[in-house]
Amino acid sequence: VEFWKRLNPLLLRYLKNHATIWAVSRFTKSSLTSRHSWDPEKIKVVNNCLDPHFDIPKEFTKPQELVERYQITNSAPVMLTICRLNQHERRKGYTLVIELMPELLKIRPDLHYIIGGEIDTRERTLLHQLLTEMGLEHNVTISGFISDAELTQHYLLADVFIMPSSKEGFGLVFTEAVVCGCNAIGGGKDGSADALMDGKLGDLLDPLAQSSMIELILGRLNNPDKQRKYQLQELCILHFGFEVYKEKIKTLLK
């Protein structure tokens, strides 16, 4: 996001004259060319990859420890968002999902939404006030920071990973969610399109189209397809695996 802002003119001139830029997505490349008049031929798109140490599950079973921690039942549908939480990151779309909860609960009253990620004090206070005003304290949990050791377990707990962002550079959390068997839903106008392979790994939509988002969420919650999850996991590893990434880097360096 630092490159979406105004750059020091000397730095910009130096980079344009002496550097090839690797952008994490087509959206980031487009931002560079439009905001800074960058020569698109000097920008190569290199998508992020899965961490080689990321715990990729072999089975898609909900972890009982987290079921008990969040005080939900094994049959309760779960939505998950993981991102930094502060006033500058609301473009990730978690407040949009909160606003949809009353309508979603009319159809799925046992639905639980977990919002994870490092959060500052101001945002925690504002979110808790919002949840209290909307009467959602028992259906939405602000979990705070989720450690690497528990990351895979949280993805396994969720039926749907949702982050309807509008300014996401790439969105590695989407690939992590898909490889763990989540139905992924992202915004279709930013780097999420790269992370979800233009809809091959998950669903892309307009973050402001509330009715479409509600329909899509309910559809994914109501139709768990385990075979499809394994197929998407395989496709995700094939496209975003670390070995594939290394080959891309080698090619660019040559």
Side-chain angles (χ1 to χ4, degrees), residues 62-80:
K62 293 199 175 193
Q64 193 61 34
E65 180 185 347
L66 293 186
V67 168
E68 294 172 3
R69 181 190 303 177
Y70 291 113
Q71 298 181 355
I72 56 179
T73 64
N74 284 305
S75 59
V78 176
M79 290 195 302
L80 174 69

Side-chain angles (χ1 to χ4, degrees), residues 2-3 30 63 77 80 101 111 123 133 145 217 239 243:
E2 290 82 359
F3 274 78
S30 174
L80 174 69
M101 283 296 291
L111 175 63
E123 191 71 356
E133 291 169 3
F145 176 74
I217 290 170
H239 197 80
E243 294 304 317

Side-chain angles (χ1 to χ4, degrees), residues 8-157:
N8 180 302
L10 291 176
L11 172 63
L12 186 60
R13 186 171 68 183
Y14 178 84
L15 291 174
K16 284 184 176 181
N17 290 333
H18 301 288
T20 295
I21 303 299
W22 295 355
V24 295
S25 67
R26 292 166 296 173
F27 176 70
T28 297
K29 177 177 179 176
S30 174
S31 298
L32 291 174
T33 56
S34 62
R35 293 171 188 266
H36 306 300
S37 303
W38 221 300
D39 180 0
E41 293 299 317
K42 290 189 175 182
I43 304 174
K44 307 299 181 185
V45 175
V46 188
N47 295 146
N48 289 325
C49 71
L50 289 162
D51 187 323
H53 302 294
F54 184 77
D55 180 19
I56 298 176
K58 292 182 172 61
E59 298 289 337
F60 302 134
T61 304
K62 293 199 175 193
Q64 193 61 34
E65 180 185 347
L66 293 186
V67 168
E68 294 172 3
R69 181 190 303 177
Y70 291 113
Q71 298 181 355
I72 56 179
T73 64
N74 284 305
S75 59
V78 176
M79 290 195 302
L80 174 69
T81 298
I82 298 178
C83 65
R84 288 188 299 273
L85 301 166
N86 58 58
Q87 62 176 334
H88 304 296
E89 297 292 342
R90 289 182 191 167
R91 59 194 174 198
K92 304 284 188 182
Y94 52 87
T95 55
L96 297 177
V97 181
I98 291 174
E99 291 171 4
L100 299 181
M101 283 296 291
E103 289 300 315
L104 292 168
L105 289 170
K106 290 178 182 178
I107 309 298
R108 299 301 300 265
D110 56 345
L111 175 63
H112 200 86
Y113 180 34
I114 299 170
I115 308 173
E118 188 174 342
I119 182 170
D120 64 25
T121 302
R122 183 176 184 273
E123 191 71 356
R124 183 182 291 276
T125 300
L126 290 173
L127 286 178
H128 279 300
Q129 287 177 347
L130 176 62
L131 296 179
T132 300
E133 291 169 3
M134 298 182 70
L136 296 173
E137 309 99 306
H138 302 297
N139 294 94
V140 179
T141 298
I142 311 297
S143 72
F145 176 74
I146 297 175
S147 68
D148 289 345
E150 289 197 326
L151 200 52
T152 293
Q153 299 303 305
H154 277 78
Y155 288 128
L156 288 172
L157 178 66

